[in-house]
Amino acid sequence: MSETDAETIRKTANRLKRARGQLTAVIEAVEAGGDCRAVVTQLAAVSKALDRAGFAIVSTAMRTCLTEDDGTATEDDRLSLEDLEKLFLTLA
């Protein structure tokens, strides 16, 4: 794994952790009967954070699968272009 991939993983994990915190706040607001506009706004922020994390993961997979072939990946580890497209479209 390159330093760039490690940095991308770190940033993606941080984004997911922030989304987890936001989701916890949304759940608490719903349970407390919070203002619906505030709840929906926060929920939209969680959704966007998750989408961005998903796109970052697919982007990293695309870079890794399409540019790096160091011979260490097995056939089961590799993603085909069709697999990558399906992952990408799953997020769309």
Side-chain angles (χ1 to χ4, degrees), residues 5-6 12 27 32 36 38-40 42 44 47-48 52 54 56 61-62 67-69 76-78 81-82 85 88:
D5 289 343
T12 302
I27 292 168
C36 110
V39 169
V40 170
Q42 283 295 75
S47 179
K48 184 173 181 176
R52 290 179 59 94
M62 288 173 69
T67 62
E68 296 178 8
D69 188 12
D76 290 337
D77 293 335
R78 292 191 183 113
L81 290 176
E82 184 178 284
E85 181 181 11
F88 182 77

Side-chain angles (χ1 to χ4, degrees), residues 11-24 26-27 41-59 87-88 90-92:
K11 286 180 180 179
T12 302
N14 285 341
R15 180 174 283 134
L16 290 169
K17 289 174 185 176
R18 281 193 304 275
R20 178 176 54 196
Q22 288 174 310
L23 183 57
T24 297
V26 169
I27 292 168
T41 300
Q42 283 295 75
L43 193 55
V46 172
S47 179
K48 184 173 181 176
L50 291 174
D51 287 345
R52 290 179 59 94
F55 285 122
I57 290 167
V58 172
S59 173
L87 286 174
F88 182 77
T90 298
L91 296 171

